[in-house]
Amino acid sequence: MIDAKNLTVRQIDALTEVANIGSGHAATSLSQLLGKKVMIRVPKLYAGQLEEVILKIADPNDVVASVLLYFLGDLTGRTLLIYPNEDAQELTRLLMPEGHENTIELQESLLKEVSNILSCAYMNALGELLGLLILPSVPGMIIDMVGAVLSSVIVEFGNEKDFIFCIETQFDFGDFNKPLSAYFLLLPDNSSLEIMLKKLNLI
């Protein structure tokens, strides 16, 4: 069984390229939702233990919106999509239908729906590239400080020492709005990571 902590540079480079493709699919999906062009800045890939990676992307006291999904099929594991709170609010503002009252419930519903679409875009890109079937679960949402999200995720994922990949993506709308950041965390089961690397001819 492969040990995710001992990946080679070549293997990490290949997974980074997969991340680039997934981010491109996510940008296309977001563009279709908003009805406007969405570009992505070059994604960054972080890899390491769950707690280390989450604390690299945000301070423990920062408020974030996060959406958790399980995936099944030919690959199994979990994903977490995290937005800084300001970026989550801006994204829901862009998605808000005209004439609707801007309630917390509607904001959360919109964010959960767009997160489901973005997560599926990442996973579909991975599935298409590898020729595998990947099926997502119904999303669950947490809006809280990073420390509280980490605690909740550890309960769902396993423990803070689990090894994850994090894709930092910035969506650029080409106007006066600042790019919106989203962090897509992928925690494949070890057997699924081995399948991915075999499909990429890396083991």
Side-chain angles (χ1 to χ4, degrees):
M1 184 70 68
I2 192 163
D3 184 352
K5 301 176 185 63
N6 295 320
L7 293 176
T8 66
V9 171
R10 184 163 168 259
Q11 288 170 332
I12 293 217
D13 285 347
L15 291 168
T16 301
E17 183 55 33
V18 172
N20 288 339
I21 294 168
S23 296
H25 279 233
T28 299
S29 296
L30 190 56
S31 176
Q32 291 170 348
L33 270 178
L34 297 175
K36 63 191 299 184
K37 187 175 182 179
V38 178
M39 303 294 291
I40 55 166
R41 301 193 176 186
V42 177
K44 297 177 184 175
L45 180 74
Y46 303 93
Q49 293 179 351
L50 175 62
E51 183 177 27
E52 291 174 355
V53 170
I54 288 184
L55 295 180
K56 276 182 185 176
I57 64 179
D59 183 272
N61 295 317
D62 289 346
V63 175
V64 295
S66 57
V67 177
L68 174 68
L69 284 169
Y70 287 87
F71 57 92
L72 303 168
D74 294 330
L75 297 179
T76 56
R78 287 80 72 199
T79 70
L80 184 72
L81 192 58
I82 295 179
Y83 310 89
N85 193 46
E86 287 185 6
D87 296 66
Q89 290 182 354
E90 179 63 16
L91 183 56
T92 54
R93 186 190 67 77
L94 291 170
L95 293 165
M96 191 70 63
E98 287 188 23
H100 279 68
E101 184 182 356
N102 189 351
T103 63
I104 295 295
E105 291 77 12
L106 180 55
Q107 287 179 18
E108 290 191 3
S109 175
L110 287 171
L111 193 60
K112 188 181 291 187
E113 182 58 29
V114 72
S115 298
N116 189 35
I117 290 168
L118 293 177
S119 294
C120 287
Y122 282 110
M123 299 310 294
N124 287 341
L126 182 61
E128 288 173 15
L129 181 67
L130 303 180
L132 298 172
L133 177 66
I134 306 174
L135 304 171
S137 70
V138 175
M141 175 174 280
I142 309 166
I143 300 177
D144 210 328
M145 289 189 297
V146 168
V149 170
L150 177 58
S151 297
S152 299
V153 171
I154 288 169
V155 170
E156 293 282 353
F157 277 15
N159 67 72
E160 71 278 6
K161 298 191 183 303
D162 279 338
F163 196 87
I164 66 168
F165 303 96
C166 174
I167 306 163
E168 178 187 354
T169 305
Q170 289 191 317
F171 298 105
D172 194 336
F173 303 99
D175 50 24
F176 295 108
N177 293 321
K178 73 179 184 70
L180 298 183
S181 294
Y183 300 89
F184 180 74
L185 281 66
L186 174 66
L187 200 169
D189 296 335
N190 270 349
S191 58
S192 293
L193 178 59
E194 189 168 356
I195 290 170
M196 289 166 60
L197 292 173
K198 281 181 178 177
K199 286 286 187 177
L200 292 166
N201 297 316
L202 293 171
I203 55 174

